[in-house]
Amino acid sequence: MEITSSDPMNELDLAKEEPVVLVSPKNPNPIQTIFLSNIDQAVTFPVEKLFFFHSPPNKTSSTHEIVERVKESVAEVLLVPYYFMAGRLHMNLETSRLEILCNNAGVLFVAAKSKLMSKDLGDLSVPNSTTFHHFVHRPGLDKSLAETALFTIQVTMFACGDFSIGFVTNHAILDGRSASEMFENLASICRGEGLQTQVLFNDRTCLKARDPPQIKFIHNEYVTQKEISSSLASCFTAPDQASPSPLIFSDKYIQKLVSFTPQMINALKEKAMTKSCSTFEVLVAHIWRARTKAVYTNPDEFSSVLFAVDIRSKISPPLPKGFVGNGVVTAFATAKVADLAEKPFSFCVEKMKEGRDRVTDEYVRSAIDWLEVYRGIPRTCNGNFYVSAWWKLSFSELDFGFGKAVHGGPVVSGNEEFVLLLSDNGKENINALIGLDEEKMQRFMAHHFEMFMEPSFP
């Protein structure tokens, strides 16, 4: 399914109130700074998430009640343990490192009303960034780090009584799992059930680099700042101003939502010819193979796919329960273009498994040390791309006291360097959100379907 860039809204369809600053009632005094690991610093960009909800049953809850319940739950309860979310990123000039400054500058909360009904927005399960960006509060790309909120919330009420809640967080502060846990906590508070997580562990020094660094592996998953243009580097790290999300780029790419049914996934697993492959491994292997055929013209080049591996239980000692930083590292699979195109699908799956198995405790420590020396970022350049498994996060289960979300996911626009795997609005399908220029997209789709039409395919 190709995603349209049309926007049903005009400037009169949405009225936003001025942002309200929510501060923590229990912020540390004196002001505290929190160390950010090298893993945190490699992914310093905002992430936008949006959830849609149907009108509360029997219209028992007013617009005012919904807005106030979310706002008060954040200000009075959530920001006690999550006080650092009211802080700001700060460049420590002595160490040349970013850190969290817990100065209680505040979370930004915005209430908005739309003249439209939610059904006017089309299929909510289809990410349409052209429309969806209206329902998140972007803190602004022209602001300095000191001016840029780490957490913004927008509650938008529609004319039909439905509503949406949009969040912007920063990946340096929370990875997908810890962000999901924070939203679950907020939803629980809104339902009157209090915090689910009783202990948060925000000491990230357990992921400090060794002194001296001990780089024992080749880390092709990262690229140094010197190897890439400053324009790409600033998408991830910008010492003096807010960084745009790498999921928000120009409209020169077209986007397609490629759906994988359970039958297609099972067929891929049979084609993988191994009993121990995961859904993630076969999906990424298939997308990597088809995309390589579409993007690369030189058979002697190497193609790589990047993906996150949770290290919470992989390192020794394991990360503590309640760890809120980035407990994932970038892993990769790489192979020659000709091999990916000509060898059996099982070859691609084995490369994926090698990439996952490579991530051991010693590999993680080596990656952290590499980042200490080179200050790099994920190597999403020269045809490489990153796959993120959003479907594994429990975003669609959120219930703020008015029923579960009817759709929840990221706000993204055309981008060829990221592929997102999304849930299909409660169905068993998994959708891949893919962005490429028109010519490459046509080739990708041809190779995608080609796989399932092979005579030998189950």
Side-chain angles (χ1 to χ4, degrees), residues 165-191:
I165 306 179
F167 300 102
V168 181
T169 57
N170 193 293
H171 209 309
I173 316 303
L174 304 168
D175 65 6
R177 177 168 165 178
S178 49
S180 179
E181 289 175 356
M182 184 181 74
F183 297 141
E184 288 170 3
N185 273 309
L186 176 56
S188 180
I189 298 164
C190 287
R191 294 195 305 270

Side-chain angles (χ1 to χ4, degrees), residues 369-391:
D369 290 353
W370 189 98
L371 291 167
E372 180 76 9
V373 174
Y374 297 107
R375 304 293 175 96
I377 59 175
R379 190 185 286 271
T380 53
C381 52
N382 301 326
N384 300 332
F385 67 110
Y386 205 116
V387 179
S388 185
W390 279 68
W391 106 84

